[in-house]
Amino acid sequence: MIGVFDSGHGGLTVLRALHAAAPGRPFVYLGDHAAAPYGVRSEEEVFALTVRGVERLFERGCRLVILACNTASAVALRRLQRTWLPGRHPGRNVLGVLVPVVEAITRVPWVVEEPPADRLPEPRTVGVFATPRTVASGSYPREIAKRAPDVSVVQQACPELVALIEKGAPPAAIEPHVRRYVAELRAALDGRPLDAVVLGCTHYPLVADLFAQALPAGTEVLCQPGLVVRSLENYLERHPEYAPAPVPPDGALRFLTTGEAGPVADLAGRFFGRPTPFEAVRS
Ligand code: DGL
């Protein structure tokens, strides 16, 4: 099984795309609903919670875990890969959702940490909507600037969104917040056109229609789940040792939560478009 980890419901947007692309590939999803939202927590808290979540998935047999959470990817992934994984779990790996987006925007592979000599500048302005912790980490603008200094990145923190989505608030309650965040980001552009935006939190595709309505017509919205699918395919081609044996599609998904299984499953099923029989994990 490949593990997919998020603070709560958001990673289901990534899991849904992964499952649609490879229905016979086994995935186990873990939502840390008891500790969500992560985006308003300190770096140390996000790191500790992410390590614990990954450990739980390793304990259940995963050799590869995808952090389907921008906050954990931005704050904890590099540190976890450098300081924790090699000593504690050699032979296992953790991937995040930030790398595929940075590669798509810059068109430069992640391993290349500077603009390639033959790169033609492509001045563009990209907006990033994300949690306060992801914005504070500066990961998106920093990693994009290393590879494509001509791309200007404007960030907008959206502090209320994850909690509203986690509690299943109706669109009418979420829409005014989305409008305000879009207006604040556009005000920060000083009249420059916005070429593309990233919904840089895996919860936000669950309200993608509200973003689409609030953004100027024609703004490209980068699809993070789709980019993660392509990136995983590419990774598994290069590292087939992490590809689990195929299983029948109706047994390919398992859902775990640190929260209350019943209420989590009810809401998650609405987002996921099919029943999500969550089991509670206590250890
Ligand atoms: N969905 C996560 C992200 O992509 C985390 C949101 C949160 O828990 O605040 O950032």
Side-chain angles (χ1 to χ4, degrees), residues 240-263:
E241 68 277 18
Y242 286 109
V247 297
D250 57 0
L253 300 178
R254 195 171 163 211
F255 300 92
L256 306 174
T257 176
T258 59
E260 295 299 324

Side-chain angles (χ1 to χ4, degrees), residues 14 43 52-53 60 79 146 153 162 206 210 223:
V14 175
E43 278 197 32
R52 186 67 195 109
R60 281 159 180 82
R79 180 172 160 197
K146 275 187 208 166
V153 179
V162 171
L206 295 167
L210 301 180
C223 171

Side-chain angles (χ1 to χ4, degrees), residues 6 32 41 67 154 186 190 275:
D6 180 50
D32 193 6
R41 290 181 177 275
L67 300 182
V154 182
R186 292 184 70 191
D190 288 330

